[in-house]
Amino acid sequence: MKDNKNTGAPSESGRVAALESELRSADFRGDIFADWGSRVAASTDNSVYQITPDVILAPRNLDDLRRAVTVLNAPEFRDMPFTARGAGTGTNGQSLNTGVVIDFRRHMRKVIDVDVEGGWAEAEAGVVRDELNDILRPLGYFFSPSTSTANRCTIGGMIGTDASGQGSRVYGKTGDNILSLTVVLADGRTFDAKPLACDAEGGVMADNEEAGISGLLTEVKHVCDCHRETLRGRVPDLRRRFVGYDLVNTATADQRFDPSRLFVGAEGTLGLVAKSRVKLTKLPKFKRLLVIGYKDFAAALGSARSLLRFEPTAIETIDDTIQEIAHREGLTRPLPEILRTPQPDGRLPVCNFVEYAGDDLGAIETTLSALKSALDTDDTVVGWHEAKGEEEATRLWAIRSGAVGLLGGVTGRRRPVPFVEDCVVPPENLSVFAMEFRTLLESEGVTFGMFGHVDVGCIHVRPALDISDAADRQRLKRISDAVLALVRKHGGIFWGEHGKGVRGQYLREFVGDEVYGGFARIKGLFDPHNRLNPGKLVSPSGDPAALWPIEATPFRETNVDVETGAGSGGTDFENAFRCNGNAQCQSYSTSVTMCPSYKGTGDPRHSPKGRADLLRAWWQLERVGDPTANEAADDVYAALDGCLGCKACTSTCPIHVDIPEMKSLFLDRYHEKKRRPLLDRMLALSESQAPMASRFAPIANLFLGLSPVKWFNRAAFGLVDTPAFSVPTLRARLAADGAAIQDSAALKRLVSDKSVIVVLDTFTTHFEADAVMSVVSALGRLGYEPIVTPAKFAGMTLHVKGFRRLFRKTAENFTAHLRGLAESGRPLVVVDAALAALLRQEYRRLLGDGAIPEVMILQEFLANELSAGRDSAWPKDIGGGREVEVLLHCTERTAFPLAGEQWRRVLNRLGFKASAPAMGCCGMAGAYGHEARHLETSKRLFDIGWAGRLGDGTDKTRCATGFSCRDQTERFTGRRLPHPLALLD
């Protein structure tokens, strides 16, 4: 069944079932996904389009891939198309299609070999670009194409679009760094695409060829020879040259034929790239960054010619729209005042980011000196600043690299979307081109943002449209047509960086009928039955009507139908419609917090993007009363069940797609029809019942520790490794120190100007009294008078499990408790940052920003005291220079971006040498790690995120800020990390 509805409604396909049976009979060992959720998660990318496949195959290696293609060539499956997919970060729908999607990223991600002397690395198509470079960096080399999606995009995907990015003027595009490709053709034959010798008659001599490969390549070479000069005359000779079916560069300088140039940029329409041998580039020893502020965007772009005289490695820019957003968001704080102060006309300076890299520091410094002198005489320049060291350069680059995310955060029904994303013109024409582009968009009544690569004349433009609106979809086509004409007018190329995809519809007009006929002939030779990513670029017939049309390809809905959804729960899931498919949540890096469940499973459904896809598709079924909505809801439930609730997406996702909040709302709705699991009810009660149970802590611990009870808890409730209650209790420990837990009524007589009100969370209070006592003791040692208040039920588990009505009531009660404490006029601090995050995010969303008194995390309070100079009573040198690593709770790291720096400042003031290394989630995240069905993933996350650092053999002192992190560490290592303030004991 071919299903191109945006909802991807659940379906049963006999042919898909038959395909699965045949694949298993052929010993296909990879994964096969035909469920609704997997299909929906593969139906979108970073474009405006949505096409739902019938099945997803994830081969394990080259042999597995060949088995799959062989089965797909059986007569009963001959009309099923198949399309390669890497990370799905394309902006033009490159990896979207019906039929079979072949997922390379899940398993085919092995770096096969690295030969530094030979200058190459060999990698499977699913290897992530940064993953490869993490292996190459210690060797002093890197794979140079530098995309903005480098932490998730695959080498295969980069080859498919001939990706590039920052620094391509010097290092070249992906295709310039490819030595050979191993390609599986549509009929299952395999060959190495690389420069090949030709015989006297012009025949191509393939190495290790399968039957007929030399003959096939000879025919292809003939087509290239016939049309090469015509294409050369049609396409401007720019650094960001024309790619995909690149007839021009198949002829090498030494008279060989290089078929790899056809496959690079062809987006899988000619064959499936299974692995590649890529060229290594030596890492430069030195880098320098100069940020130059101009009076306006036109001047910043117009500087291209003068700046290029000084031969920088890269020149990057952002327009005034993005500069203003970055300023509002506080991202421009690292800039010197002159570059972030409004000019007399009220506009901020617009910045170019100019980088130099190389091994000769003297030459770089000499060039920079000459450039600075030239800038001092340029009346369009407001000022400039050179980064002082690598750390500052990284902070400054974040302003430019954050452009996509800043635009993605724009509110309203119209939001910036990519569809005229990467036009290229000669750099000297860039300013005039961009200004005419602006005029075009303004005439259409749309706002926009622009950023890009000045040095190569590539400008990224994201007009703001409501893709859910039919008029704006027509506007998208109208703008696309006009931009093509504008590009041709200024001697440019319509597709300069992000590939063609659905925009391949313009290919015939761009290259002309003759060359396009040659493309069709090449497509027909490699893929005569039009099965490889059909509808993109060209068909064997050469008929443009066989391509996916820009204005009629299924679009991804970007706004919930408020008219239908209002009052019926639709707006609860509006946030899912904001996801733009950028997939930053699918970063491979273990030191990046978002998204732990994706890192632990490798399943796109278990990422914020995948979950947003499923929520959006389910709601579209739900709102029209489709009977399959209930079945779809089960798939949504399964995807959301794997969410740890770490809330990294809430803060880290550029669009702030808040999956934990939508999960809570969905579960509340889902369980109106379906019975709740007993475990959910138990966990929801655990927080409120902990105070009662802790009164009998010794008996409760003894009972829960019995093997039969552990077995029963796992078998009956799915609960494992429940933490032990603190013995003695916190109340008893305080009493032993002559203190007590005080309610709000007692504060009036106890409070002084040294008082700090300690707001307790249920879990730390009843399961880790040691940590609370360490905090109380440390505050006392720092000269404060800590007042410990009762641990009230805050409702964290109620929110996680979707008990919405109880959560609201609990939030109102807890807020009343906080207001009573706040009447003391003294600072309120929490022991565990997860509680503060709940108050600042979920409570404020539910009750309003002004309803919640200010409650600070410990390091926030102490850092404020330090900044205000109120640290005179603090001891001078407790740490004695001891090296300390503070391991942050994942929610704390993302909800409070300054948390690590604040701990560093506070502990350094106390004589420690502190750091807060970037780390992922420990895998516990509240109750998640205690649910038996999540145990394997929880352990895997600990292994990839924490185990290596804790077992690195150094003598550093390590502490952890989160109760769940300390619990998880003790569970898997046998030792409990202290709270940071325990270091003061």
Side-chain angles (χ1 to χ4, degrees), residues 759-782:
V759 181
L760 297 181
D761 64 279
T762 305
F763 295 103
T764 308
T765 299
H766 298 294
F767 296 103
E768 200 185 22
D770 283 347
V772 179
M773 291 302 296
S774 292
V775 168
V776 171
S777 172
L779 288 173
R781 191 168 182 184
L782 294 176

Side-chain angles (χ1 to χ4, degrees), residues 200-219:
E201 288 75 35
V204 178
M205 297 184 290
D207 299 340
N208 303 319
E209 69 164 285
E210 295 192 23
I213 291 292
S214 286
L216 170 64
L217 295 180
T218 297
E219 289 188 68

Side-chain angles (χ1 to χ4, degrees), residues 7-166:
T7 56
S11 64
E12 289 294 333
S13 171
R15 189 159 60 149
V16 169
L19 174 62
E20 181 171 0
S21 177
E22 289 298 317
L23 285 166
R24 294 308 184 199
S25 296
D27 200 29
F28 178 77
R29 300 180 181 183
D31 298 326
I32 304 171
F33 302 99
D35 60 282
W36 176 83
S38 294
R39 293 167 55 233
V40 168
S43 69
T44 64
D45 59 2
N46 192 25
S47 73
V48 295
Y49 301 110
Q50 179 163 358
I51 306 172
T52 307
D54 296 315
V55 62
I56 298 96
L57 306 182
R60 293 194 173 273
N61 50 40
L62 174 59
D63 289 339
D64 224 15
L65 175 62
R66 293 186 63 177
R67 290 186 195 104
V69 174
T70 299
V71 171
L72 286 167
N73 273 282
E76 60 267 39
F77 311 120
R78 190 67 60 82
D79 64 340
M80 292 185 77
F82 44 101
T83 301
R85 183 181 178 99
T89 57
T91 58
N92 298 305
Q94 288 94 330
S95 64
L96 308 183
N97 225 313
T98 57
V100 180
V101 162
I102 298 179
D103 179 355
F104 284 91
R105 182 173 176 184
R106 191 179 289 259
H107 298 303
M108 292 187 64
R109 49 186 306 170
K110 182 188 298 180
V111 176
I112 299 166
D113 196 9
V114 176
D115 185 341
V116 171
E117 290 186 7
W120 55 263
E122 192 166 89
E124 290 180 323
V127 171
V128 174
R129 187 266 187 185
D130 277 1
E131 189 174 15
L132 174 61
N133 277 341
D134 282 349
I135 293 171
L136 297 176
R137 190 175 298 108
L139 305 175
Y141 290 84
F142 74 122
F143 177 56
S144 60
S146 179
T147 65
S148 63
T149 57
N151 65 3
R152 54 201 182 278
C153 72
T154 63
I155 303 298
M158 294 175 71
I159 292 166
T161 60
D162 196 21
S164 48
Q166 177 186 323

Side-chain angles (χ1 to χ4, degrees), residues 513-536:
D513 290 347
E514 178 191 335
V515 173
Y516 194 73
F519 289 174
R521 176 62 180 147
I522 291 171
K523 170 71 169 175
L525 287 168
F526 282 118
D527 182 23
H529 303 293
N530 196 27
R531 302 185 65 200
L532 289 164
N533 204 5
K536 312 288 176 59

Side-chain angles (χ1 to χ4, degrees), residues 198 202 204 216-226 228 257:
C198 301
V204 178
L216 170 64
L217 295 180
T218 297
E219 289 188 68
V220 171
K221 177 180 179 296
H222 176 70
V223 177
C224 294
D225 292 343
C226 288
R228 180 173 293 113
F257 175 66

Side-chain angles (χ1 to χ4, degrees), residues 81 304 367 380 390 415 459 643 803 830 854 871 964 974:
T367 303
T380 69
E390 186 176 344
R415 293 191 287 274
I459 190 76
C643 171
F803 291 86
V830 295
E854 183 184 22
D871 62 326
S964 58

